[in-house]
């Protein structure tokens, strides 16, 4: 079945540095991908919608300059957390729909980011 | 604004007992409702969607537009059903999902 690969699974970085997280659709093309954030014991919160070949659409309250999204190809979207701070520590998950609107989403395994 | 409410954070049932995970939603148009499941240390995956009207792993969910609910049910719980369950909603013509806070199901052997 369709798989979404997310890398890395976990990363630890120092405050002030930037971290890039990759999300790949392995056996299907995805013109749209979604980035979520999950705080401990809380639900997934949509951060932004990544669109291949155009700018990402950010949800209200999400800083565009802090969470840079690049969707350079039909199988890859990246999320870069710039100038990371401890409050950015969280679980980041990407997903991609296989097919048309209302198609089920396939989720990556997530990336646990810890900023020290 | 669209919203999904799962009132129970944790639900514990004995093996063989019926299970019902509650989900209520708020949406102005015609929603698409989904249930996603996350087993321990695994990725989130689709369990079922209301439009398919299918039963997956013995689970069913019926969309009740009058009560704006999409409760997940299973007549006899099994230990392997223990997981985190998320109810989610999307609008017609949209990919974006709005998730509930999730309910952790624990099946006691």
């Amino acid at each position: 079945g369709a798989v979404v690969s997310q890398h890395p699974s976990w990363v630890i970085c120092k405050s002030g540095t930037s971290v890039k997280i990759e999300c790949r659709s392995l056996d299907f093309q995805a013109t749209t991908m979604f980035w979520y954030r999950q705080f401990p014991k809380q639900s997934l919160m949509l951060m932004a919608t990544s669109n291949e070949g155009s700018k990402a659409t950010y949800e209200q309250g999400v800083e565009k300059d802090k969470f840079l999204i690049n969707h350079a190809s039909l199988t890859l979207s990246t999320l870069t957390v710039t100038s990371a701070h401890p409050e950015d520590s969280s679980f980041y998950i990407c997903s991609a729909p296989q097919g048309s609107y209302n198609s089920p989403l396939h989720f990556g395994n997530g990336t646990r980011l810890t900023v020290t | 604004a669209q919203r999904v409410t799962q009132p129970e954070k944790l639900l514990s049932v004995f093996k063989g007992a019926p299970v019902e995970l509650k989900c209520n939603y708020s949406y102005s148009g015609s929603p698409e409702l989904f249930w996603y499941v996350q087993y321990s240390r695994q990725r989130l995956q689709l369990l079922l969607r209301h439009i398919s009207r299918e039963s997956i792993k013995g689970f069913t969910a019926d969309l009740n537009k009058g009560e704006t609910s999409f409760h997940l049910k299973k007549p006899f719980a099994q230990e392997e059903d223990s997981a985190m369950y998320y109810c989610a909603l999307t609008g017609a013509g949209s990919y974006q999902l709005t998730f509930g806070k999730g309910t952790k199901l624990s099946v006691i052997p």
Side-chain angles (χ1 to χ4, degrees), chain A residues 18-78:
Chain A
S18 295
V19 174
K20 180 184 284 188
I21 303 170
E22 292 186 348
C23 180
R24 294 180 185 272
S25 56
L26 294 186
D27 53 0
F28 66 100
Q29 294 181 333
T31 56
T32 301
M33 290 186 178
F34 300 98
W35 287 96
Y36 302 85
R37 185 172 179 177
Q38 186 177 26
F39 293 98
K41 300 183 181 180
Q42 294 189 31
S43 182
L44 295 171
M45 291 183 60
L46 180 65
M47 297 175 64
T49 301
S50 172
N51 303 299
E52 188 269 335
S54 64
K55 291 183 179 180
T57 304
Y58 290 82
E59 296 301 302
Q60 192 173 10
V62 178
E63 297 176 59
K64 301 178 183 181
D65 296 331
K66 181 162 192 61
F67 298 100
L68 298 179
I69 290 174
N70 186 9
H71 196 147
S73 77
L74 287 171
T75 58
L76 173 65
S77 174
T78 61

Side-chain angles (χ1 to χ4, degrees), chain B residues 11-19 75-79 105-109:
Chain B
L11 181 64
S12 296
V13 300
F14 285 101
K15 178 182 173 181
V19 175
F76 308 104
Q78 299 174 344
E79 288 181 64
L105 175 64
S106 178
V107 180
I108 305 165

Side-chain angles (χ1 to χ4, degrees), chain A residues 9-13 18-19 21 37 67 81 84-86 88-92 110-116:
Chain A
S9 297
W10 59 271
V11 57
I12 301 173
C13 70
S18 295
V19 174
I21 303 170
R37 185 172 179 177
F67 298 100
V81 183
H85 288 100
D88 298 326
S89 297
S90 190
F91 195 59
Y92 294 87
T111 298
R112 184 163 302 283
L113 170 63
T114 302
V115 184
T116 61

Side-chain angles (χ1 to χ4, degrees), chain B residues 7-65:
Chain B
E8 304 141 328
K9 285 186 178 180
L10 173 65
L11 181 64
S12 296
V13 300
F14 285 101
K15 178 182 173 181
V19 175
E20 183 179 51
L21 300 171
K22 290 184 168 53
C23 172
N24 289 89
Y25 67 90
S26 174
Y27 185 72
S28 57
S30 294
E32 285 271 353
L33 275 298
F34 303 82
W35 275 99
Y36 283 84
V37 59
Q38 188 172 28
Y39 300 102
S40 179
R41 299 182 181 181
Q42 294 187 28
R43 67 185 67 204
L44 199 64
Q45 56 187 287
L46 177 69
L47 180 61
L48 55 81
R49 53 192 303 195
H50 93 269
I51 198 171
S52 301
R53 293 186 165 274
E54 55 190 347
S55 173
I56 305 296
K57 298 185 179 183
F59 284 98
T60 59
D62 291 319
L63 178 61
N64 186 324
K65 292 187 177 181

